[in-house]
Amino acid sequence: EELKSLTNIKLEPDVKYTIQVPDYFLPYFPQAVGMFIGRMFNSSPVTLVYFGRIFNLICSVLIIFLAIRAAPFFKWIFFLLALMPMSMYLISSLSKDGMTISLCFLLIATLLKFAFDKGKKIENTDLIILIILACCVALTRYIYLIVLVMYFFIPVIKVGTLKKYLLVFLILVVAVFLAIQIPKAGNLFKSSANRSIEPAAQVINPSKPADQKKEYDQTQADQGANSSEQVKFILHNPGQYIGIVYNSVFIYFRTLYLDSFVGT
């Protein structure tokens, strides 16, 4: 009944909100396509949300399916990881993590196939596919590019000469770097005047007076925190910092990280 009542709320395209968004845009593409199709039917906002969620789910499942097919082994591991509560929750939400998870699965499975499938001969087209996949992951979250270290699992002989092997990896690194710059380049075309209209992460509720604006900025540090001093501390006290990381991960927040990975 609650959801049904929400369908009566009409979309108001003229009401705009300014929020802080990340540089990457690819992981929101399926959701955007779903919402675009929903707009063609003059759907309500809550219906558009479900259009976005369904398309995110469909796209993520298809990519994970390709990953399971490509994996030379551990197919059931991929299957079970994809069926964890947290994975299911994310790929069926509007979150960017659905595409991030599925594309990482596919990149890992492809690298495993190239490295350990004895019957697989790596052609130039395969290397192009690998480069495209790596760029796609770069356009979701940069941190997961650590997966590219698995390239060195591939025997040199399967690529060709050592020179070609290293050249392919260099091209891979350059392509990924350029892919990361694509979203950032868009910011160059925004005028400084537009950027200064409102704070980057200011969310305005049009139903409230202007003096009741709610500001929400995840980039601002907690009061009293000093990132530059923290960096200095880490560099000058590496041993103590390792102890802090250990205590954070395995002592104080162990259940949090386990719940975040598996789900509840």
Side-chain angles (χ1 to χ4, degrees):
E1 291 301 319
E2 184 181 353
L3 284 174
K4 201 180 294 184
S5 67
L6 290 174
T7 58
N8 297 323
I9 300 174
K10 302 300 180 184
L11 188 67
E12 298 180 40
D14 295 332
V15 179
K16 304 289 185 182
Y17 294 89
T18 302
I19 63 170
Q20 184 178 350
V21 294
D23 289 329
Y24 34 76
F25 59 88
L26 181 66
Y28 296 105
F29 185 73
Q31 302 91 307
V33 170
M35 289 185 170
F36 175 78
I37 293 173
R39 285 287 297 274
M40 294 168 65
F41 298 99
N42 295 319
S43 302
S44 66
V46 70
T47 307
L48 290 179
V49 167
Y50 279 93
F51 264 101
R53 291 178 63 169
I54 290 168
F55 271 73
N56 194 25
L57 175 64
I58 292 171
C59 191
S60 298
V61 167
L62 286 173
I63 295 173
I64 291 170
F65 167 75
L66 293 175
I68 293 172
R69 283 194 63 179
F73 44 75
F74 295 151
K75 291 179 184 288
W76 283 104
I77 299 295
F78 280 95
F79 179 78
L80 291 172
L81 286 172
L83 279 181
M84 287 199 303
M86 184 58 76
S87 302
M88 294 298 295
Y89 169 73
L90 290 170
I91 68 175
S92 59
S93 71
L94 289 178
S95 169
K96 61 185 174 294
D97 294 314
M99 285 290 285
T100 303
I101 292 169
S102 55
L103 284 170
C104 282
F105 272 31
L106 185 55
L107 179 59
I108 291 169
T110 301
L111 287 166
L112 288 175
K113 185 178 181 66
F114 288 176
F116 298 105
D117 187 347
K118 294 181 180 178
K120 174 65 180 174
K121 183 181 178 182
I122 301 176
E123 307 287 349
N124 288 337
T125 51
D126 295 318
L127 296 173
I128 292 171
I129 290 171
L130 178 62
I131 291 169
I132 293 172
L133 263 178
C135 290
C136 287
V137 171
L139 290 171
T140 58
R141 274 192 176 176
Y142 319 141
I143 187 65
Y144 294 116
L145 290 172
I146 190 70
V147 170
L148 291 180
V149 173
M150 293 176 62
Y151 174 82
F152 295 105
F153 290 173
I154 303 173
V156 176
I157 195 170
K158 295 189 77 173
V159 176
T161 63
L162 178 61
K163 183 179 179 180
K164 182 181 179 182
Y165 185 82
L166 295 175
L167 179 62
V168 168
F169 184 73
L170 180 62
I171 293 172
L172 197 60
V173 171
V174 171
V176 161
F177 175 77
L178 292 175
I180 291 173
Q181 305 311 310
I182 291 172
K184 294 181 179 180
N187 293 329
L188 298 176
F189 298 97
K190 295 178 183 177
S191 67
S192 58
N194 287 337
R195 279 200 291 260
S196 63
I197 290 174
E198 291 176 348
Q202 192 175 74
V203 179
I204 302 174
N205 187 337
S207 64
K208 292 184 178 182
D211 60 346
Q212 293 185 26
K213 293 177 181 179
K214 177 185 176 184
E215 294 189 6
Y216 178 70
D217 192 347
Q218 290 181 316
T219 63
Q220 290 184 355
D222 293 333
Q223 189 173 5
N226 188 319
S227 58
S228 60
E229 289 299 320
Q230 289 172 342
V231 171
K232 288 180 183 177
F233 174 83
I234 293 169
L235 293 176
H236 290 93
N237 304 277
Q240 191 174 350
Y241 178 66
I242 291 171
I244 292 171
V245 171
Y246 176 83
N247 288 332
S248 298
V249 176
F250 297 105
I251 306 298
Y252 300 112
F253 300 114
R254 61 182 183 275
T255 56
L256 171 65
Y257 290 120
L258 188 61
D259 291 344
S260 300
F261 183 71
V262 177
T264 54

